[in-house]
Amino acid sequence: MTDPERWLPYQASAGAVRLYCLPHAGGSASAFRSWIGAVPGVSVRPVQPPGREGRHRETPYEHMRDLVADLAEAVLADVAESGGGPYAVYGHSLGAMTAYELVRRVAAVGGPAPVHLLVSGCGAPELCGGLEGLVPIRQMTQPQIAELLRRLGGTPEWLLDNEALLGLVLPPFKADFTVKENYRYVPAAPLTVPVTAVAATDDPRASVADVAAWEAHTSAGFVLNTLMGGHFAALEQADLTRKYLASALAPWR
């Protein structure tokens, strides 16, 4: 049995609906720590994948199916422990892909469906597999990975220039990008869960059109919100993102 406390490192705050937040590749639960208590009526639950922060001694996943199998178990256990109330799932970039596959996994095992799926920084699932034109990340040298991170954005330059510190953060980053490289979308019927998406106008990894393509993956309603900025705009403009999330979850708050 998967221990939910390993996946959910922060104590649950008050809120009528729980929101499980999944980080981007190489990211951690701390990316959403400041969100706790910042969305009225919502108990923000940052998710901690293995291989980082308090779970740094654990081996990260390299395949989506293994990741979502254990994550679904942890989320469903936490939902049951909370009394079985409504919950939603949000993910940014790789976290959005994981959130989508998590919803599918929950349905496959007969668990209670979330009331909403929220995604940002990621095109529709059929557009997100692999890293076309790049050497597999497992074959890259540390300088090559540093240059990749520099091009992707979101990693401070002082960290990229420090070989010792960079070496500490590379294992989860490599594993997460291996998950992405190994991911192959398997077509399925649209979700019966509403979807809210956040796109950024200048995101080189997920255009507004690619994010808008999520609409085909739900039969329960779709809303697209747009921010000015690049790939990490949803995190950099967290106040606006939380506003969109709060609006999407208004019926359950």
Side-chain angles (χ1 to χ4, degrees):
M1 178 79 178
T2 300
D3 181 7
E5 292 186 2
R6 286 168 38 223
W7 290 89
L8 304 164
Y10 305 121
Q11 185 174 355
S13 59
V17 56
R18 293 196 167 199
L19 177 62
Y20 297 94
C21 296
L22 307 177
H24 55 281
S28 61
S30 61
F32 301 108
R33 186 170 189 173
S34 64
W35 292 28
I36 297 174
V39 186
V42 177
S43 177
V44 173
R45 302 289 276 147
V47 171
Q48 187 74 283
R52 63 215 78 196
E53 295 185 338
R55 302 185 68 183
H56 69 279
R57 296 184 184 277
E58 299 180 42
T59 302
Y61 294 89
E62 295 188 352
H63 294 277
M64 183 69 77
R65 63 178 179 273
D66 301 325
L67 168 58
V68 297
D70 289 345
L71 177 56
E73 191 174 324
V75 167
L76 291 175
D78 189 65
V79 169
E81 185 178 320
S82 71
Y87 75 99
V89 184
Y90 165 67
H92 180 74
S93 194
L94 176 65
M97 295 167 59
T98 307
Y100 170 73
E101 291 295 341
L102 171 63
V103 174
R104 291 178 64 173
R105 174 66 182 182
V106 167
V109 300
V115 297
H116 217 100
L117 169 63
L118 308 111
V119 298
S120 64
C122 183
E126 70 274 13
L127 304 174
C128 287
L131 291 171
E132 295 81 359
L134 292 177
V135 175
I137 197 147
R138 288 292 186 189
Q139 298 177 19
M140 288 186 179
T141 64
Q142 184 161 313
Q144 287 175 320
I145 295 175
E147 182 55 33
L148 171 62
L149 287 169
R150 187 173 282 110
R151 285 190 282 116
L152 294 177
T155 304
E157 195 63 32
W158 60 263
L159 178 57
L160 295 175
D161 288 337
N162 188 314
E163 291 187 9
L165 289 178
L166 184 60
L168 294 177
V169 304
L170 286 187
F173 177 82
K174 284 183 177 180
D176 287 353
F177 262 79
T178 301
V179 168
K180 181 175 173 61
E181 289 168 352
N182 290 334
Y183 180 77
R184 296 297 180 269
Y185 168 68
V186 178
L191 302 176
T192 56
V193 174
V195 175
T196 291
V198 180
T201 55
D202 300 309
D203 186 345
R205 298 170 62 192
S207 69
V208 173
D210 286 351
V211 178
W214 277 96
E215 184 173 10
H217 291 273
T218 178
S219 61
F222 176 76
V223 174
L224 175 66
N225 301 286
T226 306
L227 296 172
M228 300 293 291
H231 184 64
F232 288 97
L235 302 182
E236 294 165 350
Q237 301 174 51
D239 287 347
L240 269 177
T241 302
R242 290 194 296 262
K243 179 181 176 181
Y244 296 143
L245 304 188
S247 177
L249 298 177
W252 300 277
R253 290 196 288 137

